[in-house]
Every structure is written in C-alpha cells, then in structure tokens.
Amino acid sequence: MRNCKFKSADITFAVLPSVIISAASVACYILRLFDAAAADGLFFVIFSAAVCLAAVLRVRKTALKIISALLCAFYIAAYFTVGGGLFELAADKLNFGAYSFGAFDFLFNTAGVFDYDRLILFTSYGGARLVDSQIICGVSNIAAALPGSDIVYYLSGRVLLIFCLCGVMLSDKRFFKLRLLLCALMLISGNPAPVLIFLLLTKPTAYFISLFFSTCCHAAAAVFEIRAAYAVSPSVYEIAIHSQNAVLVFAVGILILSCSYFISRLVSERKK
C-alpha cells in the first residue's frame, strides 16, 4: 500500500499534461477555423493521451500505470465506435435550454468531448428557424441570422464562463505562471477543457465551484441581456468580431473574472 500513497499538495504530475492539452487546443482551434472535420477527434485523442500521462505520473505501481494506459485505449476506442450515437442521444435528451446546455457542455468538455457542443450549435438538435424562406439550424447559425433572438444566450453563457474560469484559476497562487499560460491559451482558443481537467486533477473543490459558476454565467447572460456570440469557439478574437457590443461583453467578462476570483479565494481561505 505504501507504493499507492499520493502527495496531496503535489500537483506537478498535472503540469506537462495540461500544457500539452492547451497547446493542442490552440492547434485544433486553428484547424477548425479552416473547417477541418478531424479537429475535434484529434483533440480528443491528444487530450486522452495527456490525461493518461497524468495518471501514469501520479501513481507509483507499475500495474496501475498499465491499467491507466489500457483504460485510455478503451476510452479512445469507445469514442470512435459508439460515441457518435451517444452524443446524438445526449443532444436530443439533455438540451432543456441554455442552463442545461451550460452544465452538460461543461461536463462533456471536462472529458475532452465537444461533439455535444457541435450538435447543439450547428445542427437541428439546437433548434431551427425559418429566416427569409430558408431553414436555419443550430444555435450558432440562428444567432448569426437573428442577432436579437434569445437563443444567443446559449453562446453568451459560454463566453462568460471563459472569463469565470480565468478568475478561478488565478485565485490559487501555486504554479501561478502555469495558470497564467493556461488562461492565455484558453482565451486564444476558446477551449476550456485544459483548464477544467487541470482543476479537476489538482483542486476538485474549485472544479465543482466552476460547475456552479457555469449555470450562473448562463443566468447572468439572460438576466443582463449580454449578447456575446462566436462562430466556432469563444476565443477573444471571435468574441470581438461576432458580438453586438464587444466592449460591453469584455467589460462584463472582466467583472465576472473578478467575482469568480474573489469567491474562489474566499472559499479557499475558509477551508484552511
């Protein structure tokens, strides 16, 4: 049993995997900008391999390292064999509005999966509207065609979540330069997966606080009518060019970042 003991304060095992995932998120985002269909699958494979690496670095027993590698292989195989049908079922049954979308998308992103997100944003699973005698399908496409529609809050919540996660990450001073790097790459790619898995592996309390914040972000977007939008991913580049009032969106984003920072600090200090 001695070989299975963990050092609770040691998070070095997550450093290299999180950097790998963040770099992959930027590269795959660039591929998606050029409509590369394989971008999400490529990111999933790199994400899974990096998480497996974190598990291998975390445990000491050789048997556990082998089990981690086998589970990773099974996970990747399941994604490419039965994942498509499962994600379509999830998009059909687990989309009750912007709030539920925010929560379930948060969980899928933590697993490196963006298929649920894409189905809601770009297919009829996200709804359909008749615009100028044409049927427009998907949240992102509808929001682009009808900027005044309330469906834009699906996108606004995800935009605010990106800023919220930055606040949660920066509230912890351990490996602060690494946290800054992960936040910067998340803002560039609009992909929260590297930050989510880093929080889950190193500070689960902060991760579950972020899950709660995810719902709050979608609620805040609807209550305060924040119409932030994007075409592919909530990167700062796309937020700036697709949002109706980008200055207001960034101002609210900074406010959300500050609030999540102080709430996370408060929770962390009360636990000590």
Side-chain angles (χ1 to χ4, degrees), residues 15-159:
V15 172
L16 179 58
S18 61
V19 172
I20 292 173
I21 297 172
S22 291
S25 70
V26 175
C28 291
Y29 172 60
I30 295 172
L31 291 176
R32 292 205 76 248
L33 289 177
F34 290 95
D35 295 324
D40 287 340
L42 175 62
F43 175 78
F44 176 81
V45 172
I46 297 174
F47 175 93
S48 302
V51 172
C52 178
L53 174 61
V56 168
L57 293 174
R58 182 64 163 161
V59 299
R60 295 177 179 176
K61 280 192 172 182
T62 303
L64 294 178
K65 295 177 186 291
I66 295 173
I67 291 174
S68 298
L70 292 176
L71 288 175
C72 175
F74 176 79
Y75 185 50
I76 293 174
Y79 174 86
F80 286 105
T81 54
V82 301
L86 292 176
F87 302 139
E88 289 181 0
L89 180 63
D92 184 37
K93 302 298 183 182
L94 301 180
N95 180 26
F96 310 110
Y99 302 119
S100 64
F101 169 73
F104 287 117
D105 196 42
F106 184 100
L107 297 174
F108 277 115
N109 289 174
T110 305
V113 174
F114 285 84
D115 299 67
Y116 172 80
D117 176 283
R118 309 305 182 207
L119 288 170
I120 299 296
L121 296 187
F122 302 111
T123 73
S124 58
Y125 287 105
R129 299 287 191 279
L130 184 63
V131 181
D132 296 331
S133 301
Q134 291 185 335
I135 297 178
I136 306 297
C137 297
V139 167
S140 184
N141 297 325
I142 295 172
L146 299 171
S149 172
D150 288 346
I151 204 168
V152 74
Y153 298 138
Y154 276 78
L155 307 178
S156 301
R158 277 184 57 81
V159 168

Side-chain angles (χ1 to χ4, degrees), residues 183-197:
C183 288
L185 293 178
M186 178 174 64
L187 291 171
I188 292 172
S189 68
N191 185 338
V195 167
L196 294 178
I197 195 63

